[in-house]
Amino acid sequence: MDITIHTSFLPHTDPEESLAFYRDVLGFEVRNDVDTGTMRWITVGPAGQPGTSILLAPPAVDPGITDDERRTIAEMMAKGTYGWILLATPDLDGTFEKIQASDAEVVQEPTEQPYGMRDCAFRDPAGNLVRIQELR
């Protein structure tokens, strides 16, 4: 079997704020930006990795989701417990400094974890946890 990760999903609450974070702060390329007038889907990805993307999309747009489920998703996003992603970089300290300078909410400074990984964490504008590991 030959399977790759093509696109993963993160919700956004403000497309312009999310676009600014992923494009301007993290340096991702904008691959697609679709505005239907009522919803906006933005696909971004790391430069040099055209086969891997993140779809930033409005949460709970599936017509099968109930109003109660939409409220639960909104509450979880507000707490930062709904969406998250794990990224990696060879320069964790430099990456941390650049993201910290952007006003992103710092969740954890670079830390050596007991499971053998050094990482840091931020929240994106929608509250999603963005954890960044150091490549060794």
Side-chain angles (χ1 to χ4, degrees):
M1 228 186 270
D2 185 8
I3 299 174
T4 62
I5 296 173
H6 182 260
T7 305
S8 61
F9 160 85
L10 283 177
H12 73 65
T13 52
D14 182 315
E16 290 302 325
E17 284 184 348
S18 289
L19 182 60
F21 179 77
Y22 286 93
R23 179 193 59 210
D24 303 337
V25 176
L26 295 185
F28 284 5
E29 299 172 333
V30 177
R31 308 248 166 89
N32 206 359
D33 191 341
V34 178
D35 188 348
T36 67
T38 57
M39 291 180 248
R40 187 167 171 197
W41 288 270
I42 304 164
T43 306
V44 297
Q49 296 181 42
T52 303
S53 298
I54 299 169
L55 172 63
L56 304 170
V61 295
D62 185 320
I65 294 177
T66 67
D67 288 341
D68 284 344
E69 291 167 333
R70 280 187 182 81
R71 278 191 291 280
T72 299
I73 290 169
E75 290 169 4
M76 291 178 71
M77 285 181 68
K79 292 187 332 186
T81 58
Y82 184 68
W84 61 278
I85 193 162
L86 184 58
L87 305 174
T89 181
D91 180 13
L92 186 65
D93 294 315
T95 299
F96 177 82
E97 288 174 16
K98 180 180 178 191
I99 297 172
Q100 183 181 34
S102 75
D103 293 331
E105 178 188 346
V106 175
V107 175
Q108 174 203 300
E109 294 187 6
T111 302
E112 188 71 39
Q113 299 294 350
Y115 45 84
M117 185 61 62
R118 186 167 180 261
D119 66 4
C120 66
F122 295 89
R123 294 218 186 278
D124 77 3
N128 299 307
L129 182 67
V130 178
R131 185 165 287 283
I132 305 172
Q133 294 182 332
E134 183 174 54
L135 292 172
R136 297 183 178 172

